[in-house]
Amino acid sequence: MKNGICPKCSGKNILVCEASDSKKESGNADYEKLGMLGKKVYTTRYVCCECGYTERYFEDKNLEILQKRYNKA
Ligand SMILES: [Zn+2]
């Protein structure tokens, strides 16, 4: 979906909702609250405007932290 194509309907009308600094400050950014981290972990959301499908991604800097805290599947 990061390539601008919906994996469900192949639509190309994809919106990106990034967790910008201003959104974080105003409390309007997407996040997950992961228990072991005990803090907000921000995500970027992709939304398909054809079918409504959405995907969320953690920021790269948080992937390192998550790998240290959680076991591999
Ligand atoms: Zn779609």
Side-chain angles (χ1 to χ4, degrees):
M1 202 153 185
K2 287 179 174 178
N3 61 3
I5 299 170
C6 176
K8 297 295 179 186
C9 74
S10 300
K12 293 178 180 171
N13 192 4
I14 308 294
L15 301 181
V16 183
C17 309
E18 286 184 275
S20 63
D21 288 342
S22 60
K23 280 188 191 170
K24 289 175 186 173
E25 281 172 22
S26 62
N28 292 321
D30 269 351
Y31 66 89
E32 287 282 326
K33 205 157 191 178
L34 296 172
M36 286 177 75
L37 292 175
K39 65 166 188 165
K40 292 176 181 178
V41 183
Y42 290 100
T43 57
T44 294
R45 183 186 293 273
Y46 289 73
V47 181
C48 173
C49 289
E50 305 292 331
C51 72
Y53 181 72
T54 180
E55 284 184 353
R56 293 170 73 189
Y57 294 87
F58 289 114
E59 295 174 314
D60 288 345
K61 66 180 180 184
N62 287 321
L63 295 177
E64 278 182 40
I65 299 170
L66 291 169
Q67 286 189 88
K68 288 176 188 163
R69 300 282 181 130
Y70 293 96
N71 298 323
K72 278 193 177 179

